[in-house]
Amino acid sequence: MTDKVDWDAARRQPFAEVQTPDDWPESVRPLSWHGMSLFGVDLTRGLYWDGKKVKTEISLGPAAKLLGGLIALFTFLAAAATVSMAVTDLLRFLNGN
């Protein structure tokens, strides 16, 4: 790589001095070309901004975990009931009922 990055300029003006769209939150601003240099990616494709890891994970809260567990449990019970009804019907058919 032969391109040199002016890190001081990137840190001095990371944001573009332009008008943002009306539907953007007031605190959100677009990056300048210099500011784009502050993004980095590690070998595991983790995202970094100016050397600091950007949080990209989402964790479920206790209520969402409980709800997901209940949905999985009742889905399993419904599948087991369906299989048992199919087995019962097969046995009735084989017995001639």
Side-chain angles (χ1 to χ4, degrees):
M1 293 184 165
T2 59
D3 294 335
K4 301 281 185 195
V5 175
D6 185 355
W7 295 110
D8 292 328
R11 290 183 177 115
R12 198 171 39 254
Q13 188 180 9
F15 303 106
E17 299 296 328
V18 296
Q19 182 69 27
T20 58
D22 293 334
D23 57 338
W24 282 25
E26 287 187 31
S27 61
V28 176
R29 298 183 298 177
L31 294 173
S32 68
W33 283 110
H34 290 296
M36 292 297 289
S37 298
L38 295 174
F39 273 115
V41 179
D42 64 11
L43 295 176
T44 62
R45 296 186 182 179
L47 184 62
Y48 289 80
W49 166 260
D50 199 13
K52 297 175 190 82
K53 184 148 177 75
V54 175
K55 182 178 179 183
T56 55
E57 302 90 27
I58 298 174
S59 61
L60 297 176
K65 288 179 184 178
L66 176 65
L67 182 62
L70 289 173
I71 290 171
L73 173 67
F74 289 121
T75 301
F76 174 77
L77 291 175
T82 303
V83 168
S84 69
M85 287 188 292
V87 169
T88 302
D89 284 345
L90 178 64
L91 292 174
R92 283 184 187 163
F93 176 76
L94 293 175
N95 287 332
N97 292 343

